[in-house]
Amino acid sequence: LTSGGDSQGMNSALRACVRMAIFHRARVFLIYEGYQGLVNGGDSIRETSWYGVSHIMGKGGTVIGTARCKEFRQREGRRQAALNLVKRQITNLVVIGGDGSLTGANLFREEWPELLQELANAGSISDHEQARCNHLNIVGLVGSIDNDMCGTDMTLGADSALHRITEAVDAISFTASSHQRSFVLEVMGRHCGYLALVSALACSADWCLIPESPPAEGWEEKMCAQLDQSRKCGNRMSLIIVAEGAVDRQGKPITSQYVKSVMEKIGHDTRITVLGHVQRGGTPSAYDRLMGCRVGAEAAIAVLEATKETEPVLVGLQGNRVVRSPLMECVRKTQSISTAMKAGNFKEAMQMRAGSFVRHWATYRRLSRFDKMPVVPDDKKLRFVVLHVGAPAAGVNTSTRAFLRLANFHGHYVYGVHEGFEGFANGQVDILDNNAVARWSVGGGSHLGTNRYVPTKDDLPRIAEQLQKHRINGLLVIGGFEAFQSLCVLEAARKDYPPLNIPMVNIAATISNNVPGTDHSMGCDTALNIIVEATDRLKQSAVASRKRVFVIETMGGHCGFLATMGGLAGGADAAYIFEEPFTIAHLQNDVRHLINKFEQGVWRGIILRNEKCSPHYTTDFIANLYSAEGGSLFTTRSNVLGHMQQGGLPSPYDRHLGVRFAKCSLDFLMEHGTIGPQEQCKSSETSVFRPPV
């Protein structure tokens, strides 16, 4: 059942949970309208099938509904709910909702033996039914756009809500710049500032107000001074993001209307945009679909493995791994944060948030401050150089801009290299200006220019000359596997070229996600969203045309990440990748699966193929084979997505990842960089950064 506020990704979790449970030979029921349906029983509790949850991954909200239920708060209501479950022999319950819904589920579980005894005493159930259903297993999944639950790094719907916010900011920025206006954007987050904070990082907001960290006295004057300084630097717009639960140190709400009135006092033409429930709407992002698939499948396994002695668990993500955590421990920690904020213990509340939340807030404060003077004297200023290498990937501009701002915050210089290592060897090196890169964070592609060129032996003396000429103390290369290879070449040449004895960092940025040392490369999330959007549209075409199968070719080289994850997030019937060899027999099995599917009345099929999965079984070959074998049941079309996967504006995840990578890279370079002659660097001082947890 789904309960509480709806969020994108619930349907993905629902589908995965149903199908994994059926795969393990369990009967699965859907409870419509949340706890209200549990109390009502009857047609509100229906058994489902494998194909009963088709066509729902791309839908927002929850297809089985959610509703508040006063009856379930009373013991009589919970007793009726228990009766409805016992009569259907249901002893395993997966609840998707917030902390209130999960608390109610745990109470239901604790009371279960007593409720059954009361039903038996009243003659509502037999002794056999009571013995057969003597305990209830509970597993929780968190559906909340606020990302406010302990025990998981992300909650279902949070990433999709960030998509709605960044889309709004991107649209607003054009009209704001045209009129030199300021905008106050109010986002959801009554008790948690996650949406406001991460969208502020992703969209380069000038000021951000969140519930966990009320501004100090006199914040209005500081904000106005910073906005004026920003305008003097050439920025034509200002953006202030306010969480709906933002308060001052005395607990008084800070409304978007109040922020507007403050800005109007200094002559800013200001407008307010309240996104409201728009943030809960729309189709789920690729991240939320993938997360829903992963936690939904794990929830089914967890509830089927549970016993009478098993503690209820919450299934979530921690460090990109699916984990099970004690349910009520997570609920109590979450509720204690709200209690601390109500009591005015904001510092304690901030510390109880995930460690990444505190680091994100510190990073944002560095990025947004204009009044901070350099913290190092002139003779201690370091010089770093940034270049882009490899195929285009969304987020490289965001990371470059963040690296520059953070380096300037500490008083260091940053140089930019145009056209990769080829441009580096040719001396295309300029110092980066903060004002010039101010709006790079929202741009796709590469403003510095990028290519796949890997430096040769002939280039090494010229690159060393440029490093020596500009007195460079650290090198940051943003790119994919070519960037990784290039740093290997430079590292091997250190003994012959002393200027190369500086710390070097490779920020992994490639849609192929094939760089060692990181779970996610910058750019792959944006590409996945493009694939999922294309898959959704092709599904609509297939359903409208009836009897249609699409074979979609994705990029990725010899890495099947995009095809695999795109297939999982898009609900594809099969995905062919280089890492998993396949034969004509595998293709024939997949054809038989599609024939069975069409005979069941599901009139569409989606096949994903990695561009280099096989030199023999090409996209056209597979499409022709499916057409021939499908006979009168279906026809087949092919679609090559091509370089559109490298384009578009970066997703919120990639923008945020770019900022996090930039911060980690700068910390590394400042720690290892020195002003004087460099000693022979160790190999450990050439790094590839992974996303910090």
Side-chain angles (χ1 to χ4, degrees):
L1 65 84
T2 53
S3 179
D6 66 299
S7 63
Q8 307 95 323
M10 281 185 167
N11 292 325
S12 178
L14 176 69
R15 173 182 177 272
C17 186
V18 168
R19 292 192 168 181
M20 183 59 74
I22 292 175
F23 178 80
H24 286 279
R25 303 187 182 283
R27 294 174 63 195
V28 185
F29 293 79
L30 301 179
I31 301 174
Y32 290 79
E33 312 308 334
Y35 286 116
Q36 187 66 58
L38 190 59
V39 173
N40 292 344
D43 197 44
S44 295
I45 305 177
R46 310 174 207 164
E47 188 169 2
T48 189
S49 66
W50 184 278
Y51 292 116
V53 289
S54 294
H55 306 300
I56 69 172
M57 282 194 71
K59 295 180 179 179
T62 165
V63 295
I64 59 175
T66 179
R68 298 187 182 279
C69 181
K70 293 181 180 179
E71 292 93 332
F72 193 77
R73 296 175 182 269
Q74 307 300 320
R75 190 176 180 87
E76 293 78 7
R78 294 192 291 275
R79 185 164 56 242
Q80 181 61 42
L83 176 62
N84 292 330
L85 293 184
V86 170
K87 289 301 182 181
R88 293 167 177 80
Q89 304 176 35
I90 297 173
T91 56
N92 301 294
L93 189 62
V94 176
V95 179
I96 308 175
D99 59 337
S101 302
L102 300 179
T103 301
N106 186 67
L107 176 61
F108 190 38
R109 171 187 171 275
E110 291 175 344
E111 292 182 347
W112 183 262
E114 297 175 4
L115 295 174
L116 263 59
Q117 186 61 53
E118 293 171 10
L119 291 170
N121 293 340
S124 300
I125 62 174
S126 66
D127 292 342
H128 175 68
E129 288 176 321
Q130 182 181 9
R132 184 176 56 193
C133 304
N134 62 355
H135 70 280
L136 179 68
N137 299 318
I138 295 288
V139 168
L141 299 177
V142 188
S144 168
I145 68 169
D146 291 339
N147 198 30
D148 56 353
M149 177 65 78
C150 296
T152 180
D153 292 343
M154 286 289 283
T155 58
L156 291 168
D159 187 73
S160 298
L162 286 172
H163 273 259
R164 303 295 92 79
I165 295 170
T166 54
E167 287 164 6
V169 172
D170 290 345
I172 285 171
S173 63
F174 292 106
T175 181
S177 297
S178 298
H179 297 274
Q180 296 193 64
R181 282 181 177 148
S182 297
F183 269 83
V184 180
L185 188 73
E186 182 179 309
V187 302
M188 284 186 166
R190 189 174 293 111
H191 302 296
C192 180
Y194 177 85
L195 290 180
L197 173 56
V198 175
S199 59
L201 281 169
C203 301
S204 305
D206 297 281
W207 202 266
C208 179
L209 296 164
I210 61 174
E212 293 88 345
S213 182
E217 294 293 333
W219 65 270
E220 296 93 338
E221 289 77 13
K222 290 183 179 179
M223 181 184 73
C224 292
Q226 179 160 310
L227 296 180
D228 279 343
Q229 180 65 29
S230 175
R231 291 299 175 91
K232 290 177 182 177
C233 290
N235 292 324
R236 293 180 58 85
M237 66 162 288
S238 301
L239 176 65
I240 293 85
I241 296 182
V242 184
E244 62 177 339
V247 294
D248 61 19
R249 294 292 175 91
Q250 286 70 46
K252 180 181 177 182
I254 300 176
T255 65
S256 52
Q257 188 62 48
Y258 177 72
V259 176
K260 176 187 176 183
S261 66
V262 171
M263 298 171 66
E264 287 178 336
K265 290 179 181 178
I266 59 173
H268 279 229
D269 183 10
T270 308
R271 299 290 187 272
I272 296 175
T273 297
V274 180
L275 294 184
H277 285 75
V278 167
Q279 296 159 88
R280 280 189 182 174
T283 59
S285 66
Y287 184 96
D288 276 329
R289 298 188 198 199
L290 288 170
M291 180 183 176
C293 287
R294 298 175 67 189
V295 299
E298 181 65 19
I301 296 172
V303 79
L304 292 174
E305 291 178 348
T307 65
K308 187 177 181 178
E309 292 74 28
T310 303
E311 184 179 7
V313 297
L314 180 143
V315 177
L317 291 182
Q318 292 181 13
N320 199 36
R321 300 289 185 270
V322 179
V323 298
R324 303 178 189 178
S325 304
L327 176 65
M328 290 314 296
E329 180 182 330
C330 297
V331 170
R332 283 190 290 269
K333 285 182 179 179
T334 302
Q335 294 174 342
S336 65
I337 295 175
S338 297
T339 302
M341 287 194 291
K342 288 179 181 177
N345 299 325
F346 298 107
K347 186 175 181 180
E348 179 184 349
M350 177 69 86
Q351 293 301 322
M352 284 191 288
R353 290 283 184 217
S356 58
F357 189 94
V358 179
R359 292 194 295 270
H360 296 343
W361 181 243
T363 301
Y364 172 73
R365 287 175 62 82
R366 293 186 188 182
L367 283 170
S368 62
R369 291 186 63 178
F370 276 85
D371 60 339
K372 184 69 178 178
M373 298 299 292
V375 295
V376 292
D378 288 342
D379 60 344
K380 298 294 183 181
K381 291 180 185 292
L382 296 172
R383 296 166 179 259
F384 306 124
V385 66
V386 181
L387 66 159
H388 303 164
V389 175
V396 296
N397 294 321
T398 307
S399 195
T400 304
R401 184 258 181 194
F403 183 83
L404 172 63
R405 291 291 296 268
L406 290 169
N408 288 169
F409 176 89
H410 289 282
H412 304 307
Y413 300 111
V414 178
Y415 290 79
V417 176
H418 299 273
E419 313 307 331
F421 276 106
E422 193 171 21
F424 204 177
N426 293 330
Q428 295 176 248
V429 183
D430 299 308
I431 192 164
L432 291 180
D433 176 63
N434 225 326
N435 298 330
V437 301
R439 289 298 161 188
W440 279 20
S441 62
V442 299
S446 166
H447 286 295
L448 286 176
T450 184
N451 54 56
R452 296 178 182 270
Y453 187 81
V454 176
T456 64
K457 290 183 178 180
D458 294 336
D459 298 318
L460 293 174
R462 293 190 292 163
I463 291 173
E465 180 185 354
Q466 292 298 322
L467 291 171
Q468 191 169 28
K469 174 183 176 181
H470 297 284
R471 294 177 290 159
I472 300 301
N473 309 111
L475 175 65
L476 174 62
V477 183
I478 305 177
F481 200 76
E482 293 83 2
F484 180 81
Q485 288 178 298
S486 298
L487 286 191
C488 290
V489 171
L490 297 187
E491 182 184 25
R494 278 174 164 168
K495 60 182 180 297
D496 298 321
Y497 301 98
L500 295 177
N501 291 320
I502 57 175
M504 304 177 187
V505 177
N506 169 209
I507 288 183
T510 168
I511 69 169
S512 300
N513 199 31
N514 61 348
V515 178
T518 178
D519 289 340
H520 284 125
S521 298
M522 194 163 53
C524 64
D525 183 74
T526 302
L528 275 177
N529 278 282
I530 292 170
I531 293 170
V532 167
E533 182 181 351
T535 302
D536 285 349
R537 294 184 179 186
L538 292 174
K539 278 184 180 179
Q540 290 176 353
S541 173
V543 172
S545 304
R546 301 290 196 274
K547 301 182 179 181
R548 181 63 55 82
V549 173
F550 278 96
V551 180
I552 305 172
E553 181 182 303
T554 68
M555 298 181 82
H558 290 96
C559 179
F561 176 84
L562 289 181
T564 301
M565 295 304 175
L568 194 60
D573 298 279
Y576 302 125
I577 60 175
F578 176 79
E579 294 89 342
E580 188 175 64
F582 58 97
T583 65
I584 192 69
H586 294 96
L587 296 175
Q588 289 173 330
N589 284 334
D590 291 336
V591 169
R592 282 192 286 269
H593 158 72
L594 282 175
I595 290 174
N596 178 66
K597 179 178 177 179
F598 274 77
E599 288 175 345
Q600 295 287 330
V602 182
W603 295 326
R604 59 113 182 100
I606 297 293
I607 307 295
L608 264 67
R609 177 191 177 275
N610 168 257
E611 61 182 345
K612 292 188 178 180
C613 66
S614 170
H616 309 295
Y617 302 123
T618 64
T619 300
D620 288 338
F621 176 89
I622 294 174
N624 291 333
L625 175 66
Y626 273 62
S627 289
E629 296 293 324
S632 61
L633 273 177
F634 56 79
T635 58
T636 309
R637 299 288 185 274
S638 60
N639 191 287
V640 179
L641 299 183
H643 287 78
M644 64 182 295
Q645 296 162 85
Q646 294 178 347
L649 298 179
S651 68
Y653 184 91
D654 279 331
R655 298 186 198 193
H656 187 207
L657 192 62
V659 174
R660 292 157 67 189
F661 277 170
K663 195 264 183 188
C664 285
S665 301
L666 181 65
D667 289 345
F668 179 87
L669 292 175
M670 289 194 302
E671 178 183 355
H672 295 282
T674 58
I675 295 295
Q678 295 279 350
E679 297 179 0
Q680 182 71 27
C681 285
K682 300 178 182 178
S683 60
S684 62
E685 293 183 12
T686 303
S687 275
V688 179
F689 274 103
R690 68 182 65 217
V693 177

